[in-house]
Amino acid sequence: MMMDTYFTRSDGGYVFARWGRPIVPVVFGVQDETLSVFKGAIEAVVALAGHKMAETDPELGANLMVFFCRDWAELTEVPHLDSLVPDLGPLVAKLDQAEANQYRIFRFDEAGAIRAAFVFLRMDAHLEAVSADTLALSQAVQTILLWSDLAFTDQSPLAAIDGKTVLRPEVADVIRAAYDPVMPSFANDPSHALRLAARIQVPQ
């Protein structure tokens, strides 16, 4: 995949953003063992990026919130969620009508960097067939950067090797390059993709 494809959206615009602050995750609606799997996956991807995690976010408390539900309507019953996610009611209706099983919302700071992300997962038959490890790693990867809405429509960021789910090497390379300290936290010029590509070493 060409580097710019990862961040060129369906409307043709190029938009890149990475986290501008330490990530503080919280997961709602799962048992403790699944919670630890999700936090472990997030820690692994954050470490890959060379980014940081923290115990609390000074603005939000937690800034990466993952919500599990059986029915989208359950989200409207979560206390104070409507204050964090404007137009929650219409969003729930839209997700229900589309029969979606996952949705992600990002919030950005003044510089365009990610300051918060909300992940909603409706456990339908498809997601229930996915292992907790795979689901956790997939969501961790898809929230570490603002990827294009088309980035992983044709190919998952994950691969199965010897029965174990791992991050595709080329996607891992993009994440590492994206968090290079000399790279910007936000970019909307396609030339940014050339700078990313230059930071990925091609095997000789």
Side-chain angles (χ1 to χ4, degrees):
M1 185 184 289
M2 296 290 290
M3 186 63 65
D4 59 345
T5 307
Y6 285 111
F7 305 105
T8 301
R9 306 193 67 77
S10 52
D11 62 5
Y14 185 95
V15 184
F16 164 90
R18 70 185 187 193
W19 285 81
R21 60 183 64 192
I23 296 175
V24 184
V26 62
V27 185
F28 300 95
V30 295
Q31 297 179 335
D32 289 346
E33 53 265 32
T34 304
L35 174 62
S36 63
V37 168
F38 258 78
K39 290 199 170 180
I42 294 167
E43 287 172 0
V45 173
V46 169
L48 167 72
H51 193 52
K52 295 178 180 178
M53 296 182 68
E55 289 297 318
T56 185
D57 179 81
E59 185 181 353
L60 295 170
N63 55 30
L64 172 52
M65 303 183 192
V66 183
F67 297 87
F68 281 80
C69 63
R70 292 281 175 187
D71 186 289
W72 287 125
E74 294 174 26
L75 296 180
T76 61
E77 300 169 7
V78 177
H80 312 302
L81 184 58
D82 55 349
S83 63
L84 294 171
V85 182
D87 300 321
L88 180 63
L91 173 62
V92 165
K94 177 182 170 184
L95 293 174
D96 195 40
Q97 184 175 14
E99 298 184 351
N101 61 13
Q102 56 185 292
Y103 191 73
R104 284 172 292 278
I105 299 173
F106 291 87
R107 296 284 181 262
F108 307 93
D109 62 21
E110 299 80 8
I114 300 170
R115 74 177 181 92
F118 304 89
V119 179
F120 304 110
L121 299 169
R122 181 177 66 84
M123 297 304 291
D124 62 0
H126 176 71
L127 286 190
E128 286 199 340
V130 178
S131 71
D133 289 346
T134 298
L135 186 58
L137 183 56
S138 173
Q139 298 304 321
V141 169
Q142 292 183 80
T143 51
I144 193 66
L145 293 171
L146 178 68
W147 304 93
S148 162
D149 53 328
L150 302 177
F152 303 119
T153 52
D154 295 330
Q155 186 178 60
S156 167
L158 310 183
I161 298 179
D162 297 329
K164 191 173 183 181
T165 302
V166 299
L167 180 57
R168 289 186 179 278
E170 62 271 25
V171 176
D173 287 342
V174 174
I175 293 171
R176 276 190 291 261
Y179 277 87
D180 186 315
V182 304
M183 295 293 286
S185 295
F186 167 82
N188 58 6
D189 189 314
S191 64
H192 171 266
L194 299 176
R195 295 182 62 196
L196 275 179
R199 280 160 177 77
I200 297 176
Q201 294 183 347
V202 179
Q204 298 298 317

